[in-house]
Amino acid sequence: MLAFSLTTPPSGLLSQPLLHARSPLCPSIPFRTRVSHGQSTFTHSIKTPSLPRHSPHHGPTMEVATHHVPTLYHVPWFCSSVPYQLVLELAIPPTSLDVITITEAQLRTSSEIEFLSPRRLVPFIAFPDGSVLLELGAIVLYMCETFDTEHTLHPPPGDPRRPRFFQGVVYAVAEAYRAVMDVFRETFGKADSGINKPVVAKLRDRFSIVVVEHLVLELEEQGRMYYLGDEFSAVDILFGYILMTAKCTDAGLLENEFVREYHDRIVERPAYKELFSRASVR
Ligand SMILES: N[C@@H](CCC(=O)N[C@@H](CS)C(=O)NCC(=O)O)C(=O)O
């Protein structure tokens, strides 16, 4: 059985407490945070004037550090890996989109995180104006539209592949991701004796229809290397994550040779390797 083991998050992890809430009496003390950009990790200092914000969960006001640039929150191995891979693929500088890597424990306990993402889910992007963008599919589309100005990972308006791109993003998030997570939840980290086999069998069948048959129909039968054709796109990043999760279930979800080969092509991406080499699988 595969199990995830997180290394110390190497990038973007804020010192404790998670976000420094500064006293309004002392509003603008710079602190240091490590940020990661593409291949390099470096340190710079930012100023964090705290602003009182209204929070339904924490009384009338709560101190939350200001984000000076749009900031993606990421937990290693979680589906925030998808937008993080986009950051690496597109070499988005931290001056345009910063990445803060937090731990599972921080995601589940930090009041600042709950304030930003009330259901305590990643990914999310916190903006300098205080707004927050939730939902993986929306984040992928937002990042493509904002940062992929050369259209290397998504087709431009007028491109005949564009409708398939939208279909792929929405299908991957709404259908395929759910199908794999249902198996994952029933199997991952459980001893064989603790697995409800009839339930898992049903969920495996569903995964076969929703993910495997879909990919066979959309890719193999159309002679496509990737979801949009010969060119890798953001849709393949989503499916790469879904297939990686499928592999980690150890439930035999990747028996189809074509799907395995598609997954093998995706994991060869340097950005994929960089992303997942930052956490370890044992
Ligand atoms: N509908 C959300 C779902 C996001 C989601 O399920 N995130 C998982 C990680 S893949 C999470 O943060 N889980 C919190 C936890 O396990 O504590 C989206 O598409 O962004």
Side-chain angles (χ1 to χ4, degrees), residues 75 77-81 104 107-108 117 119-124 134-139 173-174 177 181 185 241:
V75 175
W77 295 108
F78 282 29
C79 54
S80 51
S81 303
E104 277 183 67
L107 179 64
R108 288 173 190 157
S117 175
R119 291 172 62 209
R120 294 187 178 280
L121 299 174
V122 285
F124 61 89
L134 306 171
E135 291 300 314
L136 176 60
I139 288 169
V173 174
Y177 175 69
M181 285 310 291
R185 273 188 285 268
Y241 181 79

Side-chain angles (χ1 to χ4, degrees), residues 1-263:
M1 166 62 84
L2 285 167
F4 292 146
S5 131
L6 300 183
T7 58
T8 304
S11 64
L13 183 60
L14 294 170
S15 53
Q16 296 292 340
L18 179 63
L19 296 174
H20 288 272
R22 294 293 178 199
S23 158
L25 298 174
C26 183
S28 191
I29 302 170
F31 74 98
R32 295 178 79 76
T33 179
R34 295 207 314 138
V35 297
S36 165
H37 164 214
Q39 307 287 331
S40 60
T41 299
F42 56 92
T43 307
H44 70 170
S45 70
I46 59 173
K47 287 184 187 295
T48 61
S50 68
L51 298 176
R53 309 246 178 97
H54 180 73
S55 164
H57 305 285
H58 301 283
T61 61
M62 181 183 169
E63 304 294 325
V64 175
T66 299
H67 297 88
H68 290 264
V69 290
T71 303
L72 169 70
Y73 281 73
H74 168 60
V75 175
W77 295 108
F78 282 29
C79 54
S80 51
S81 303
V82 171
Y84 200 170
Q85 188 176 342
L86 273 171
V87 169
L88 299 175
E89 294 275 358
L90 296 169
I92 302 171
T95 46
S96 299
L97 181 75
D98 204 355
V99 180
I100 290 181
T101 302
I102 59 173
T103 62
E104 277 183 67
Q106 286 172 319
L107 179 64
R108 288 173 190 157
T109 58
S110 154
S111 52
E112 288 91 342
I113 290 294
E114 188 190 17
F115 181 73
L116 294 165
S117 175
R119 291 172 62 209
R120 294 187 178 280
L121 299 174
V122 285
F124 61 89
I125 295 179
F127 291 93
D129 70 356
S131 60
V132 178
L133 175 62
L134 306 171
E135 291 300 314
L136 176 60
I139 288 169
V140 168
L141 293 173
Y142 166 80
M143 287 178 66
C144 285
E145 185 187 275
T146 309
F147 303 111
D148 185 22
T149 49
E150 303 290 315
H151 290 279
T152 54
L153 294 177
H154 81 299
D159 188 308
R161 298 167 306 156
R162 196 160 155 98
R164 280 182 60 72
F165 171 74
F166 288 117
Q167 171 194 291
V169 170
V170 173
Y171 188 85
V173 174
E175 299 283 349
Y177 175 69
R178 277 181 53 193
V180 76
M181 285 310 291
D182 285 349
V183 181
F184 187 85
R185 273 188 285 268
E186 286 293 326
T187 56
F188 188 74
K190 290 188 178 175
D192 200 50
S193 55
I195 291 177
N196 185 332
K197 298 204 171 62
V199 168
V200 172
K202 275 194 181 163
L203 296 175
R204 275 190 54 169
D205 288 349
R206 185 166 157 67
F207 179 88
S208 287
I209 294 165
V210 173
V211 180
V212 177
E213 283 183 23
H214 180 79
L215 291 174
V216 167
L217 190 73
E218 296 281 333
L219 279 81
E220 187 181 23
E221 290 183 11
Q222 307 292 326
R224 297 185 178 112
M225 290 263 287
Y226 295 107
Y227 203 88
L228 298 186
D230 291 340
E231 305 289 332
F232 180 83
S233 76
V235 179
D236 302 302
I237 297 180
L238 280 160
F239 275 107
Y241 181 79
I242 287 160
L243 297 177
M244 185 271 288
T245 307
K247 202 168 173 181
C248 290
T249 64
D250 257 3
L253 298 178
L254 295 192
E255 279 166 4
N256 180 285
E257 200 180 328
F258 173 80
V259 171
R260 271 210 311 273
E261 285 169 7
Y262 170 55
H263 185 229

